[in-house]
Amino acid sequence: MNAFTLKDITYTYTSTRQNALRDLSFDFPGGKVTVILGPNGAGKSTLMDLLLSFREAQRGEIILFGKPLKSYTKQELGSLIGLVPQEERSRFAFTAFEFTLFGRAPYLHHMKSPQEEDYRAAEAALDMVGMSHLAHRPVGQLSGGEHQLLLFARVLAQDPEVILLDEPTSALDPANTSRIIDIINLLKRKGKTLIITTHDPMLASEAADTLLMIRKGELLYSGDTSEILTGTYLTQLYDTPLTTVSYEDRILITRKM
């Protein structure tokens, strides 16, 4: 079953009358990793906002698990969909553990306090991203990379069916990037649906089952990663000469000299 289905989605900024997305149709398969790949300004973040119901398209329809997205309540969406944003800074003096515990909010009704299962979920999430030793450190004292991992921990504690990740490795060093890719693959094995935006084709090579290539708000190519992640398509997507090389069952991307 598809997690999301987009039907002829068009979104136009009212202030500039400029199309951010135009006539976009695509199926996001459930239980798979789909990467939305494109250069800066392609419309990736706008598409994420639409999937999260933060914005509403002027034309077209978005279906979530067989039902119109707009038919869900906020509480229902809170338990079904989780977000790892590119950046989010807290202005309050929460510890890393308290921040992670916020992921349990969709399950706490009528001002109910967190229960033992919520605390266990937060602890397990911090452990999964390798931050258990920082559980009691104030969020404001974390590095940029640590904070990015903390955002991932919060959504792991939430345990939604669909996880949206906006440029999830942009602030991470190679070691932590590798950790995130391992977690993505673990979540896929658990049957979760992951939708990732990035301008980095190497992340797509490492993690994606399916690719959606967009440029200037329009769909260029879509399909299985092994078929779509080619030098020809990447060159058109980024308007710069790129080539791909197969190495140990992986696709490496290099710039043509």
Side-chain angles (χ1 to χ4, degrees), residues 111 164 257:
M111 304 300 290
L164 308 184
M257 302 300 291

Side-chain angles (χ1 to χ4, degrees), residues 65-228:
F65 292 123
K67 293 172 52 180
L69 180 63
K70 60 185 178 182
S71 71
Y72 288 87
T73 66
K74 289 184 178 180
Q75 183 176 335
E76 289 172 332
L77 290 177
S79 59
L80 279 174
I81 304 174
L83 171 67
V84 179
Q86 185 172 355
E87 186 178 24
E88 178 185 307
R89 287 294 175 182
S90 173
R91 293 174 295 176
F92 302 99
F94 298 116
T95 65
F97 179 80
E98 291 167 336
F99 188 91
T100 303
L101 194 59
F102 290 147
R104 303 300 298 169
Y107 309 103
L108 303 179
H109 308 302
H110 307 299
M111 304 300 290
K112 181 181 177 182
S113 298
Q115 303 298 301
E116 184 63 30
E117 62 181 319
D118 301 307
Y119 290 112
R120 287 199 301 267
E123 290 170 354
L126 283 171
D127 183 62
M128 188 175 290
V129 301
M131 291 187 60
S132 294
H133 63 295
L134 299 175
H136 301 294
R137 180 171 295 183
V139 171
Q141 295 180 14
L142 299 176
S143 68
E146 289 167 343
H147 197 276
Q148 188 70 11
L149 290 171
L150 185 63
L151 294 173
F152 214 107
R154 182 179 63 182
V155 84
L156 290 173
Q158 181 185 346
D159 194 30
E161 289 300 313
V162 181
I163 301 175
L164 308 184
L165 301 98
D166 189 12
E167 301 283 357
T169 59
S170 60
L172 300 182
D173 60 26
N176 284 326
T177 295
S178 179
R179 182 187 296 274
I180 290 300
I181 291 171
D182 288 343
I183 295 171
I184 288 171
N185 289 325
L186 173 62
L187 290 170
K188 183 175 70 172
R189 290 194 295 272
K190 290 184 175 182
K192 302 295 185 181
T193 300
L194 294 102
I195 300 173
I196 305 170
T197 67
T198 184
H199 59 266
D200 180 8
M202 280 306 303
L203 177 57
S205 172
E206 292 269 10
D209 297 306
T210 303
L211 275 181
L212 173 66
M213 291 185 174
I214 60 174
R215 187 167 185 260
K216 296 181 179 178
E218 296 185 353
L219 175 64
L220 288 185
Y221 304 104
S222 63
D224 292 342
T225 302
S226 59
E227 299 175 357
I228 300 300

